Amino acid sequence: MQDNPSMFGFRASKFILSVLVLIQLLPTQLLAQRSKSPWQTLTGEAPLIIARGGFSGMFPDSSFNAYSFVASTSAPDAVLWCDVQLTKDGVGICFPYVTMYNDSNVRDAYPKKKNSYLLNGVLTQDWFTVDFTSKDLNTVFLTRGVLSRSNAFDNNQNVISTVQDVATEFKPSGFWLNVQHDAFYTQHNLSMSSFLLSVSKTVIIDYLSSPEVSFFRNIGARFGKTGPKFVFRFLDKDDVEVSTNQTYGALMRNLTFIKTFASGVLVPKSYIWPVKDQYLLPHTSFVRDAHKAGLEVYASGFANDFDIAYNYSYDPLTEYLSFMDNGDFSVDGFLSDFPLTASSAVDCFSHLGSNASTQVDFLVISKNGANGDYPGSTDLAYTKAIKDGADIIDCAVQMSSDGIPFCLNSTNLGESMNIFQTPFRNRSTTVPEFNSLAGLYSFNLAWSEIQTLTPAISNPYSRNFHMFRNPRERSSGKLVSLSEFLNLANNSSSLVGVLINVEHAAYLREKQGLDVVKAVLDTLKESGYSNATKRVMIQSSNSSVLVDIKKQSRYETVYQVEETIRDIQDSAIQDIKKFADAVVVGRYSLYPVSASFITGQTNLVERLQKFKLPVYVETFRNEFVSQAYDFFSDATVEINTHVTGAGVSGTITEFPLTAARYKRNRCVARKDTPVYMIPVPPAGLLEIVSPTFLPPAEAPNPVFTDADITEPPLPPVTAKAPTTSPGPLSTGQKVPNGQTRVTLSLILSAFTTVLASLLLM
């Protein structure tokens, strides 16, 4: 911290000042201006991006890294937010709260200076800014305040900055000071008003907010008409405003009173879109009411790594759009921990409309349909994938005991269906090729029996992160046969084609007497796809399957590389070219990750495309915990990096809407790409990670070779011996000779499957 920092003045935005005058003097002209704009904000201008404590979703709130990162990732007119606190000697600092323990190492620096004060009428024990001089705080450093976020930047000696420091160092286009506890400082003989009036002589304050009415009454006239915009901050509706003794819920019903001292309001987003049981309720009329009163509305509480309503499918960009591009209203600004996402939402994705043209060319391929919103491989999942804009919908083919091919993610029914309360549990068998423990497999039941099972939505992050997908629809929809899937796709005018995934063909032929390749090809023919205009892609991780299909058909074949690799031999690529038209690889084969940080980028895509092999990448998910920190908890950033950074030919995703919307964003086609639409630099964040938190060096991923591809031909179909009663396989049954390469992730045990089914109920 600097006691007397140098100051480089800068002029306030003429637009902001003109808007203030218009709001106060010419409301009718404002309404006329707004009617000509696509924005339903008060002024007709695009919503403001306010970076709360800088890029505080990634770095410690109010730190140098947090503030500096805004300029390199967000809109050029993004406003820097500073929570102003006062020290014992009256210096104004940017620090998240008046209490310091949660956001700094103050306990380590001053273990004996914990104190107790009344804060908003509640006795609070903590370390308080009012107990330290500005010099004392030179040894206190900022740390993350949200414990679920990475601590990798905590040991960077993030100094606490004064208000003057931030203004001088970063010269923001807009500067927003928030005063949360004016009354508390008054009780400690410190004057926030005096500090603000003094600092305003050298620092341009564009916005000034507070949840205390008395603060504005005291300071309003002292700033004059050329001062900052006053924004009254609403807290939770049941909280009591200290100077009026009214709840904020009561004050929100008297907006004309608020207008007497403020030109805008800052409200929690729940004031606008209420949520119950993590589902949206109908939006309120608050924004329109405030606009009628001449008040701008800024919404707070936006963070990519917080739980948001299930309606948004874990996509923070969708949430932003619902507050500004809904046809009824638009907020005037967003207070966000992740200003990059807010910036791209406003500039790149707003007002696109359903008919916006494609701006970037790649295939959006579903993973079990819209598996993130409905149980995978069901009619509802496929219907939503089509509606959401998928180019290709997929069917992972499984075989019933009576030879019916149908769509389901796993051969083990327990992984995708609720089987616990069914009469089929005694049909469980042990299949050593899949798992050493028993499971109920598709080939244990007839198709008519499988149709009686209830599907279960996939929850890949329920156990470790307690994140669930769309609970209201957790058992909705019905499974579809391959024939029904093909008919559904054929009736869609928007789909480009279908992808059919074939696995375990050797095992099914040799041990179950089922020919999945023949079943797929016959069903395609019967469904009219022999001469159809839609593309048919058949995918497998077994070269023997694709060789067999190539011999019998002219459909596109796609080879799946299951392993995470760093490179591939030229000879291996040439081998793949003999039987495949495209390749599927995992995300980590392009951007390897260690401790949730990207450690580099391979040239795998470039090498495969050099041999005219398109590269499709899997599996993209919206949940922020599925992404490396480098993608800023934003699925769109991850997609953008893979498409424009790595140059992939398609994305395989459980949330097709996010990828399909990205194809239409207006920013990628610009000559000067905005910073929030530039691919993230590989290993970029590692450059500023605290040395003590750098991830350990790991062994490099393997190189894919010819030996990884070579397989014997598929075995002939062996008639399955009839069984007298259902039950486990005999202990003397031989294991097949390894012709089927089984996926690395083992199938869940029967006990785990039962437990998972219970959790989903």
Side-chain angles (χ1 to χ4, degrees):
M1 182 189 303
Q2 303 173 10
D3 291 334
N4 296 293
S6 60
M7 176 65 200
F8 295 94
F10 58 88
R11 295 166 52 186
S13 166
K14 293 182 179 180
F15 165 71
I16 293 175
L17 292 175
S18 65
V19 168
L20 177 61
V21 174
L22 283 171
I23 290 176
Q24 294 175 337
L25 302 177
L26 300 171
T28 56
Q29 291 185 20
L30 259 181
L31 292 175
Q33 176 185 345
R34 190 174 71 177
S35 67
K36 300 176 183 178
S37 167
W39 292 107
Q40 293 177 290
T41 55
L42 181 64
T43 65
E45 296 293 326
L48 194 67
I49 310 301
I50 309 152
R52 192 186 71 85
F55 207 124
S56 56
M58 180 58 62
F59 305 102
D61 190 316
S62 306
S63 65
F64 179 91
N65 283 337
Y67 282 128
S68 63
F69 216 66
V70 174
S72 60
T73 59
S74 308
D77 59 349
V79 172
L80 295 189
W81 165 285
C82 165
D83 282 292
V84 184
Q85 315 299 339
L86 293 180
T87 62
K88 188 175 184 178
D89 50 346
V91 174
I93 60 173
C94 293
F95 194 88
Y97 302 100
V98 66
T99 54
M100 302 188 70
Y101 169 69
N102 194 59
D103 295 89
S104 74
N105 70 337
V106 67
R107 183 178 66 173
D108 298 329
Y110 297 99
K112 296 182 179 180
K113 296 202 71 172
K114 188 176 184 179
N115 216 331
S116 298
Y117 294 119
L118 282 175
L119 187 62
N120 289 343
V122 178
L123 186 63
T124 304
Q125 286 191 336
D126 209 297
W127 285 257
F128 292 81
T129 62
V130 294
D131 290 329
F132 300 92
T133 65
S134 55
K135 185 177 181 180
D136 292 336
L137 295 182
N138 285 332
T139 57
V140 177
F141 303 116
L142 293 158
T143 60
R144 59 176 176 154
V146 179
L147 296 183
S148 60
R149 291 172 176 168
S150 174
N151 62 350
F153 308 101
D154 283 357
N155 282 3
N156 282 358
Q157 293 193 335
N158 303 291
V159 298
I160 298 173
S161 299
T162 66
V163 172
Q164 293 95 326
D165 289 340
V166 175
T168 302
E169 184 69 34
F170 302 105
K171 302 177 178 62
S173 62
F175 200 20
W176 187 310
L177 302 186
N178 179 61
V179 178
Q180 199 71 8
H181 297 289
D182 177 59
F184 174 81
Y185 289 112
T186 300
Q187 294 167 8
H188 289 266
N189 298 317
L190 293 168
S191 174
M192 183 64 76
S193 296
S194 296
F195 165 75
L196 293 171
L197 291 168
S198 174
V199 79
S200 67
K201 297 176 182 178
T202 55
V203 172
I204 299 295
I205 307 171
D206 298 289
Y207 300 85
L208 185 60
S209 61
S210 176
E212 298 179 11
V213 173
S214 59
F215 169 75
F216 289 111
R217 286 176 167 171
N218 293 334
I219 203 172
R222 302 171 69 182
F223 263 111
K225 292 183 178 181
T226 59
K229 280 189 178 183
F230 291 161
V231 180
F232 181 65
R233 186 176 191 179
F234 281 84
L235 305 182
D236 290 342
K237 293 179 182 179
D238 293 333
D239 288 349
V240 176
E241 196 280 320
V242 292
S243 57
T244 63
N245 203 32
Q246 295 185 55
T247 65
Y248 289 95
L251 287 172
M252 70 175 285
R253 295 189 290 271
N254 193 2
L255 294 175
T256 54
F257 166 67
I258 304 299
K259 178 60 178 160
T260 62
F261 59 84
S263 62
V265 291
L266 174 66
V267 298
K269 59 188 179 183
S270 60
Y271 274 51
I272 301 165
W273 278 106
V275 174
K276 182 178 181 181
D277 299 327
Q278 214 169 322
Y279 282 96
L280 291 177
L281 297 174
H283 67 72
T284 68
S285 62
F286 183 85
V287 175
R288 285 179 292 185
D289 294 342
H291 284 172
K292 288 179 182 178
L295 291 166
E296 291 182 305
V297 179
Y298 305 95
S300 66
F302 291 89
N304 296 1
D305 56 354
F306 290 171
D307 282 341
I308 57 178
Y310 292 121
N311 310 68
Y312 300 129
S313 300
Y314 289 101
D315 185 349
L317 202 152
T318 300
E319 182 182 34
Y320 283 109
L321 292 174
S322 74
F323 281 80
M324 63 176 173
D325 190 9
N326 53 56
D328 291 326
F329 64 86
S330 173
V331 298
D332 299 275
F334 296 99
L335 179 60
S336 175
D337 292 11
F338 292 82
L340 178 150
T341 304
S343 299
S344 67
V346 171
D347 188 25
C348 306
F349 295 97
S350 61
H351 306 116
L352 286 180
S354 58
N355 296 320
S357 60
T358 297
Q359 301 296 320
V360 57
D361 184 26
F362 70 100
L363 288 178
V364 176
I365 306 170
S366 74
K367 181 73 170 180
N368 308 312
N371 186 29
D373 295 302
Y374 291 98
S377 306
T378 61
D379 56 340
L380 294 179
Y382 288 128
T383 300
K384 189 171 193 302
I386 295 171
K387 179 183 177 182
D388 287 349
D391 299 307
I392 305 285
I393 58 172
D394 71 305
C395 171
V397 175
Q398 312 301 335
M399 296 292 288
S400 64
S401 63
D402 52 347
I404 303 298
F406 66 97
C407 304
L408 193 64
N409 184 47
S410 173
T411 306
N412 187 343
L413 298 175
E415 292 188 2
S416 304
M417 311 293 287
N418 289 317
I419 65 170
F420 179 62
Q421 295 178 337
T422 71
F424 306 122
R425 284 175 295 163
N426 63 338
R427 306 268 193 98
S428 296
T429 58
T430 301
V431 181
E433 296 79 12
F434 299 158
N435 201 325
S436 60
L437 301 174
L440 183 63
Y441 295 92
S442 65
F443 44 77
N444 297 140
L445 302 181
W447 173 235
S448 60
E449 294 172 318
I450 292 171
Q451 287 178 294
T452 67
L453 300 176
T454 303
I457 200 167
S458 170
N459 284 300
Y461 306 109
S462 60
R463 179 171 298 181
N464 293 332
F465 300 98
H466 204 67
M467 297 177 71
F468 296 89
R469 293 174 171 178
N470 199 7
R472 288 181 181 173
E473 306 292 346
R474 62 188 177 188
S475 300
S476 298
K478 66 181 184 70
L479 293 185
V480 296
S481 66
L482 177 59
S483 176
E484 292 170 325
F485 167 84
L486 292 173
N487 289 335
L488 176 66
N490 205 30
N491 291 330
S492 168
S493 59
S494 62
L495 281 178
V496 173
V498 296
L499 182 146
I500 300 171
N501 192 7
V502 178
E503 297 294 338
H504 313 307
Y507 170 82
L508 290 171
R509 282 188 175 189
E510 202 171 37
K511 295 301 180 182
Q512 298 299 328
L514 298 169
D515 191 342
V516 63
V517 172
K518 184 177 186 301
V520 167
L521 294 178
D522 287 350
T523 306
L524 281 166
K525 183 177 180 180
E526 293 164 3
S527 301
Y529 276 74
S530 296
N531 300 307
T533 57
K534 282 186 168 52
R535 293 173 63 177
V536 175
M537 306 160 70
I538 301 179
Q539 173 184 314
S540 182
S541 62
N542 297 117
S543 60
S544 56
V545 170
L546 301 182
V547 168
D548 199 33
I549 288 172
K550 275 290 188 184
K551 290 179 181 178
Q552 302 183 58
S553 75
R554 301 178 64 180
Y555 299 126
E556 295 180 51
T557 50
V558 181
Y559 184 59
Q560 179 184 8
V561 179
E562 293 182 306
E563 296 86 350
T564 299
I565 61 176
R566 73 175 187 273
D567 201 355
I568 183 169
Q569 293 178 345
D570 284 353
S571 57
I573 301 176
Q574 291 167 346
D575 283 349
I576 292 173
K577 282 279 292 183
K578 296 175 183 177
F579 59 82
D581 303 300
V583 177
V584 169
V585 297
R587 295 175 298 155
Y588 296 161
S589 290
L590 306 188
Y591 293 97
V593 171
S594 178
S596 295
F597 287 97
I598 294 176
T599 58
Q601 179 181 356
T602 70
N603 65 346
L604 198 60
V605 173
E606 180 183 352
R607 288 181 40 69
L608 287 166
Q609 290 179 345
K610 182 180 178 181
F611 285 83
K612 308 301 181 184
L613 284 170
V615 180
Y616 309 128
V617 180
E618 67 173 7
T619 300
F620 289 87
R621 292 167 171 159
N622 282 1
E623 291 96 341
F624 66 88
V625 294
S626 72
Q627 302 146 16
Y629 289 128
D630 305 67
F631 298 127
F632 310 121
S633 302
D634 186 339
T636 300
V637 174
E638 183 178 32
I639 292 169
N640 179 55
T641 299
H642 281 80
V643 172
T644 63
V648 304
S649 311
T651 58
I652 301 174
T653 174
E654 296 180 345
F655 296 87
L657 175 63
T658 303
R661 182 185 56 211
Y662 167 77
K663 292 179 69 171
R664 297 181 285 117
N665 93 79
R666 65 175 67 91
C667 291
V668 292
R670 292 178 184 167
K671 182 178 179 181
D672 296 320
T673 306
V675 293
Y676 34 86
M677 201 50 63
I678 294 176
V680 302
L685 285 183
L686 284 181
E687 297 179 3
I688 48 179
V689 166
S690 307
T692 53
F693 287 103
L694 284 171
E698 296 181 355
N701 293 322
V703 175
F704 203 67
T705 67
D706 305 63
D708 297 307
I709 300 170
T710 304
E711 293 178 349
L714 287 176
V717 178
T718 303
K720 183 181 179 183
T723 56
T724 56
S725 62
L729 298 174
S730 66
T731 56
Q733 185 171 357
K734 294 182 179 180
V735 177
N737 57 12
Q739 289 170 326
T740 302
R741 295 192 293 115
V742 181
T743 180
L744 295 177
S745 58
L746 296 177
I747 301 174
L748 293 173
S749 67
F751 173 77
T752 306
T753 301
V754 169
L755 180 59
S757 299
L758 284 173
L759 289 172
L760 289 167
M761 297 181 67

